Amino acid sequence: MVALLMGATVGIKRTSFSAAPRRGALSLVEIAVLAACVAAAVLVSNRYAVDIMIRTFLWGGLALAWNIAGGYTGLISFGHAAFFGIGAYTSTILLLSYGVPPWFGLVAGALLAAVAGALLTTICVRLRGPFFILSTLAAGEVTRIVALNWRSLTGGSEGLEIAPVASVANMVFKSQWPYLALVLAYMLALFALSVFIEQTRHGYYLFATRDDEDGASAIGINPRNTRIAAMALSAACTAVGGTLFAQYFLYLDPTHIISPEISFEFALICAVGGLGVASGPVLGALIIVPLSELLRGWLSQSVSGLHLVIYGAVVIIVMLYFPSGVSGAIARAWAGLSRRAGSAAMVGKKIV
């Protein structure tokens, strides 16, 4: 991970811009979407809407972290909930047992998760496709079982509770706004990191390893080290989100914190928004999280399970008609408009 971050400054090119989302460029669509997120965070005052924004921005950042491994390197992981739980439990245990502020516990959790991610990838680096996916799923389940049974450390099934006493040092606030600012900063930082990675030489190493391992090896790239570094960085960023989650909800339960559903949701958000581009996780989170929360709030009391049926139908439709995600659909639509505009211009010249 250190080599990836330090070496990334070598071979970086100037930031390029485009109209539609494109890997390696900052698009006008992305700038508009992020500006809208900042504006909403400043202007919206409804507590329910703010709560949805907090969840959306947090999950957007977590999906961006997952995308570093799953989208850029092809390491599809259904065990990222383990790194999420490591970050949440590390900062919480340090706070409750030793009085260490979460601002430092956040760093400790990220480092511990990076080591866990690097170790997992080192062990499973030879596995491909569904075999790697199953190994990450098993690692997440092992982490959950350990957390459930290590009661003296994690509280077991009873969980851990953080005292709701407002303190900046303990990252506990009276209002929602500081939490909203933190998770928005988290998502924006990971978006910037993703765009940075896409434009560096090491970013191209990740894409080359994902697309053609033999070809990458032939030009001097070490696929093993590239995968390990990517997973370590992805795990560390996920752990940071785990700490923010713990400090917002002030309660941890292994059954919900380290669950396969959380890992699936990271992957689903990226798949809906678009894998392998920085805009994909953000667009996916802006669709999936509010949709899920609003359907649950509006329909959960009318017909049991109806909100899940509609939610699933919407996701299936998006996956069927937009296989490259919403960002890919926007890029294709813009390319089509550009071609038609170019054709119209050529016709106009011939007529003249």
Side-chain angles (χ1 to χ4, degrees):
M1 182 178 67
V2 174
L4 177 63
L5 293 175
M6 295 182 64
T9 56
V10 180
I12 187 172
K13 62 180 182 180
R14 291 181 60 187
T15 301
S16 58
F17 295 89
S18 64
R22 178 169 60 86
R23 192 180 75 190
L26 185 62
S27 71
L28 297 179
V29 171
E30 292 166 337
I31 294 173
V33 168
L34 295 176
C37 290
V38 174
V42 173
L43 299 176
V44 175
S45 58
N46 181 275
R47 289 183 60 85
Y48 181 57
V50 171
D51 181 70
I52 291 178
M53 283 195 293
I54 290 173
R55 295 169 187 263
T56 301
F57 297 156
L58 177 58
W59 249 248
L62 289 165
L64 283 162
W66 187 93
N67 195 45
I68 294 173
Y72 293 164
T73 322
L75 295 173
I76 305 300
S77 167
F78 285 164
H80 260 57
F83 309 133
F84 181 74
I86 288 173
Y89 272 101
T90 298
S91 61
T92 301
I93 291 170
L94 289 176
L95 173 64
L96 298 180
S97 300
Y98 305 101
V100 177
W103 305 99
F104 299 107
L106 178 149
V107 177
L111 293 175
L112 187 58
V115 172
L119 181 61
L120 173 63
T121 310
T122 300
I123 296 172
C124 304
V125 73
R126 295 184 180 275
L127 300 178
R128 296 291 181 271
F131 301 103
F132 182 84
I133 293 173
L134 290 174
S135 69
T136 60
L137 181 61
E141 283 298 285
V142 168
T143 306
R144 183 180 66 84
I145 293 170
V146 169
L148 276 170
N149 290 279
W150 199 347
R151 297 179 181 274
S152 61
L153 184 67
T154 66
S157 58
E158 295 180 0
L160 296 176
E161 184 176 358
I162 300 173
V165 179
S167 170
V168 175
N170 290 337
M171 205 186 293
V172 178
F173 307 101
K174 292 182 179 180
S175 69
Q176 294 172 304
W177 305 111
Y179 295 111
L180 181 60
L182 282 174
V183 295
L184 178 59
Y186 172 64
M187 185 183 75
L188 293 177
L190 281 177
F191 178 82
L193 175 62
S194 298
V195 173
F196 175 76
I197 290 173
E198 290 177 8
Q199 298 180 358
T200 63
R201 183 177 65 186
H202 283 278
Y204 288 106
Y205 289 177
L206 300 181
F207 303 134
T209 300
R210 178 196 65 186
D211 296 335
D212 187 351
E213 181 178 346
D214 293 334
S217 299
I219 60 174
I221 299 173
N222 188 325
R224 178 179 179 274
N225 291 344
T226 299
R227 288 193 175 98
I228 292 172
M231 183 62 83
L233 179 59
S234 176
C237 294
T238 302
V240 173
T243 296
L244 296 178
F245 179 93
Q247 295 304 128
Y248 179 61
F249 290 97
L250 303 178
Y251 177 74
L252 299 180
D253 172 14
T255 303
H256 297 95
I257 298 298
I258 313 174
S259 66
E261 288 79 6
I262 287 182
S263 298
F264 297 156
E265 192 162 5
F266 297 161
L268 176 63
I269 288 172
C270 290
V272 169
L275 285 170
V277 290
S279 59
V282 176
L283 293 173
L286 291 175
I287 294 171
I288 292 295
V289 180
L291 176 65
S292 175
E293 294 296 326
L294 292 174
L295 286 176
R296 183 184 294 112
W298 291 342
L299 302 176
S300 60
Q301 300 299 324
S302 56
V303 179
S304 179
L306 179 60
H307 68 289
L308 295 177
V309 173
I310 297 176
Y311 174 75
V314 171
V315 171
I316 290 172
I317 290 171
V318 171
M319 297 297 290
L320 284 176
Y321 291 96
F322 307 108
S324 58
V326 175
S327 61
I330 295 173
R332 287 196 304 273
W334 178 260
L337 290 173
S338 299
R339 284 194 299 269
R340 284 194 288 272
S343 299
M346 291 296 294
V347 172
K349 288 182 179 180
K350 289 181 180 180
I351 293 176
V352 174

